[in-house]
Structure formats: structure tokens, C-alpha cells
Amino acid sequence: MLNRRILRIKAFKVLYSNMLAGNSSLVEAQVQLEQSCEAVRDLYIYMMGIISPLTRLARERIEIAKTKFNPTEEEKHPNMKFADNALARIMDEDPDFQKLFEKKKFSWEQYDLFLKKVLNSVFTRKYYVDYMAAPESSLKADCRLFVKIFEEEFVDSEELAQILEDMSIWWNDDLAYALTWCCHSVEAIGKGARWELPALYQSDMKSGLDVESDKLFVTRLLQAAYTKYPELSALVYENVEGWDKDRLFLPDVALIVMGLAEAEAFPTIPLKVSINEYVEISKYYGTQKSRSFVNGLLDKLMQRLEADGKIRKEGKGLL
């Protein structure tokens, strides 16, 4: 599930928050890292759990409309396509998913107003109108609809962001990635696969002797950056030119430390890969100047450490 970009971000956030708080316990930081990683999968489970509540709400609206004193013909003979969609039925009847959802003590019941707003929004969308008007009625079509719902309805929702923030301190910034995996799962179900809980790390989803453990990667990365932070951050401050050292953006310093620690700890990862990764991360967690600052200083310091023999690379394609 988690790729190395996400894992680098997780390690960076744990490193930065602990250094900012003056926490010197590596063990505690590693526990936080594991919790942060597992939280992404928990968020994925929670968002997969919205399929059935939305469907039940649509069915309830239809039943209420039928009880009106003078219902319209459409209300008397409603289009039940969404209310009877096969995906919700599959998720409701999947014992593994239901057991896990209950074990996590997850529920959407207290967020009825939010669900109603989502459903109202869905009903106005062209993708929903086209789905309801299409003669096709199939699991595949139902799954395509929910992929669109996951893609269109949640990422920019301030109300959902507040709900998730109240539920878990670890869910900040992870929604888009979790929704991507919701789409993967729904697409697979649409092709006839049964729902399966994704492995936490993408390396666990592969096979072969040459597959490197992502869990080991992120654990070693945090350990290297954490233990060498005093040394590497001092190196950053010593080599700043044209910048006010007292006003350096601390997340930038943490990113550079992460990049240098990675370069030293992982001989087979090319320097260009490490630089590019932390420059990309700086776009989301830095300022407008962070990209050029992180890129320039990482490149300069990596060359220096390589010349001093502190960075040693091996394997093909590492130049």
C-alpha cells in the first residue's frame, strides 16, 4: 500500500515534530512512525466503509418519498439503480471487511448531515445522471460510479477534513492517498475480485528475492536521520550562503538532513533519486523558496560528503 514517497514523508514528519519538541527518544519516534504508517490503511478502511451508508441513505429517501400524501409518478416508481447497487451489498456481506470495520470501532452514523451533503452533491453530478440513465445495470457500472464518487466528492471537503482530524491525529494529509487505494479496491471488485485488505507496504505486495523491504527502508531511514540530526543539521547551517541562518525554515533543514542521511545509509539508491524525492516533498511542506534551497544545498553537501568518503555508492546506474 505505502510507497516510498509516502514513507519518506512519514519519516520526515516524525523527525521534524520530534526535533521541534526536543524529544531525544528514538524508540518513541519509531513507535510514532509505525502508528503513522498504519493510520493510512485505517483511513482507507474507514473511507471504504462509506459505500453502504450512502446507499442506505439513498434507499431511505426513496421510501420516505413514497409515503408522501401526493407522491409524483417518479416517486411512486423510482429508479432503484443506485439504492440497490451491488457494490454496497458485497461490502455488507463481506465478513472480513465487516469484522475489521467493527474491530476498529468505526462508524458513519454520527455524521448523517455530512452523508446527506455528499449524497446531494452526487445527485447533481453528470456522472451520476449518466449512470442512472444508462440501460446497463451491473456490478461493473456500480463500481465505476463509486470510483467517481471517491475521486470527486471528498478531497476538497472541509467538513470531511474536520471529521478526520477529530478522529485521528495521524490522518492529516493522508486522505488523497487513501482514496486512491479505495479506487483500486473498487475497480478490482468490479472485475470480479473479492475485497482484500491491502498489505501495509508495497514491497509486501511483491514477490522475488530481489524485493527490498519498505518497512526496513523507512525504519533505517528514520534511525539514520534521527541519530545523525545534530551532525547533519550543523553541516547545513555551516554551509548556508546568502540565507539568514537564524531565519532558516526548519522543515527545509529537516528535509535536507533526511536526504543526507538517506544518501549515507543506502548505498544502492542513486543520489539523484534522493535529491529529487526531497525536492518534491519540499513543494508540499515548504515555502516558495524551499525547492531551490533544498535542491541546491542537498546537491552541494552530497558532493562534499561523497568526496570525504562518507557517502559511498555501489551498483549500476548510480552516477
Side-chain angles (χ1 to χ4, degrees):
M1 184 172 188
L2 303 181
N3 61 30
R4 291 204 171 184
R5 170 72 59 79
I6 296 297
L7 292 175
R8 286 180 172 96
I9 291 174
K10 294 291 184 185
F12 153 70
K13 292 173 77 172
V14 170
L15 176 72
Y16 172 67
S17 63
N18 278 272
M19 291 306 165
L20 194 64
N23 189 340
S24 59
S25 171
L26 174 59
V27 173
E28 184 176 338
Q30 289 173 329
V31 170
Q32 292 172 3
L33 177 63
E34 291 181 9
Q35 292 174 333
S36 179
C37 290
E38 187 63 51
V40 183
R41 189 164 59 176
D42 285 348
L43 179 54
Y44 153 82
I45 295 168
Y46 188 59
M47 293 309 301
M48 283 294 292
I50 204 171
I51 294 170
S52 294
L54 285 176
T55 302
R56 285 195 293 271
L57 184 58
R59 193 178 300 119
E60 289 170 6
R61 287 189 178 186
I62 289 173
E63 294 302 319
I64 291 172
K66 286 181 180 180
T67 63
K68 286 183 177 179
F69 177 73
N70 189 23
T72 65
E73 285 301 312
E74 184 179 352
E75 290 170 337
K76 290 180 183 178
H77 307 285
N79 185 339
M80 298 294 291
K81 194 171 184 179
F82 179 75
D84 289 339
N85 77 81
L87 178 61
R89 186 166 59 253
I90 286 174
M91 298 307 297
D92 282 340
E93 296 174 356
D94 190 297
D96 294 334
F97 180 79
Q98 292 301 323
K99 183 178 180 180
L100 185 58
F101 199 80
E102 292 173 8
K103 181 181 178 181
K104 298 288 183 180
K105 298 182 179 179
F106 288 155
S107 174
W108 283 98
E109 289 183 6
Q110 64 270 45
Y111 301 117
D112 187 59
L113 290 177
F114 171 71
L115 293 174
K116 288 179 180 178
K117 289 181 181 179
V118 172
L119 204 57
N120 288 339
S121 176
V122 169
F123 288 170
T124 66
R125 301 286 191 172
K126 184 178 184 301
Y127 67 76
Y128 176 80
V129 174
D130 292 344
Y131 161 81
M132 295 295 282
E136 176 189 10
S137 182
S138 65
L139 171 61
K140 195 175 208 179
D142 296 339
C143 289
R144 284 200 300 265
L145 174 71
F146 272 97
V147 166
K148 294 299 293 184
I149 291 174
F150 282 125
E151 290 176 342
E152 302 290 340
E153 304 300 332
F154 301 122
V155 173
D156 296 323
S157 169
E158 293 183 5
E159 189 170 350
L160 177 58
Q162 186 60 56
I163 289 171
L164 299 181
E165 183 178 338
D166 291 342
M167 289 185 65
S168 174
I169 62 172
W170 301 111
W171 282 356
N172 185 34
D173 297 335
D174 288 336
L175 179 60
Y177 194 77
L179 291 173
T180 297
W181 276 91
C182 289
C183 292
H184 290 335
S185 292
V186 170
E187 288 169 349
I189 293 171
K191 295 177 182 177
R194 187 184 173 197
W195 177 83
E196 290 184 355
L197 180 66
L200 185 55
Y201 302 97
Q202 285 198 5
S203 60
D204 295 338
M205 305 172 73
K206 304 174 184 177
S207 59
L209 297 176
D210 59 339
V211 176
E212 298 179 351
S213 168
D214 288 334
K215 181 178 181 179
L216 180 60
F217 163 76
V218 72
T219 301
R220 287 177 56 197
L221 176 61
L222 179 62
Q223 181 178 13
Y226 209 94
T227 56
K228 300 205 73 174
Y229 189 88
E231 174 188 338
L232 294 177
S233 60
L235 185 64
V236 171
Y237 284 102
E238 290 169 4
N239 287 273
V240 172
E241 295 178 1
W243 298 78
D244 186 343
K245 297 181 182 181
D246 294 330
R247 299 184 65 183
L248 283 182
F249 191 53
L250 294 182
D252 290 350
V253 176
L255 282 172
I256 294 170
V257 168
M258 290 285 298
L260 297 176
E262 179 175 312
E264 289 188 1
F266 298 92
T268 60
I269 298 179
L271 295 180
K272 287 184 179 180
V273 170
S274 296
I275 292 174
N276 289 339
E277 285 294 317
Y278 292 102
V279 169
E280 284 298 312
I281 295 173
S282 73
K283 294 178 183 178
Y284 301 97
Y285 295 95
T287 66
Q288 292 183 343
K289 297 180 179 180
S290 293
R291 182 179 180 181
S292 59
F293 178 70
V294 172
N295 182 58
L297 204 51
L298 262 182
D299 184 45
K300 174 183 177 180
L301 294 179
M302 282 183 180
Q303 290 185 43
R304 176 171 299 183
L305 291 175
E306 191 172 31
D308 293 341
K310 295 182 178 180
I311 293 178
R312 298 176 183 273
K313 294 296 178 181
E314 59 188 39
K316 296 180 180 180
L318 296 174
L319 299 180

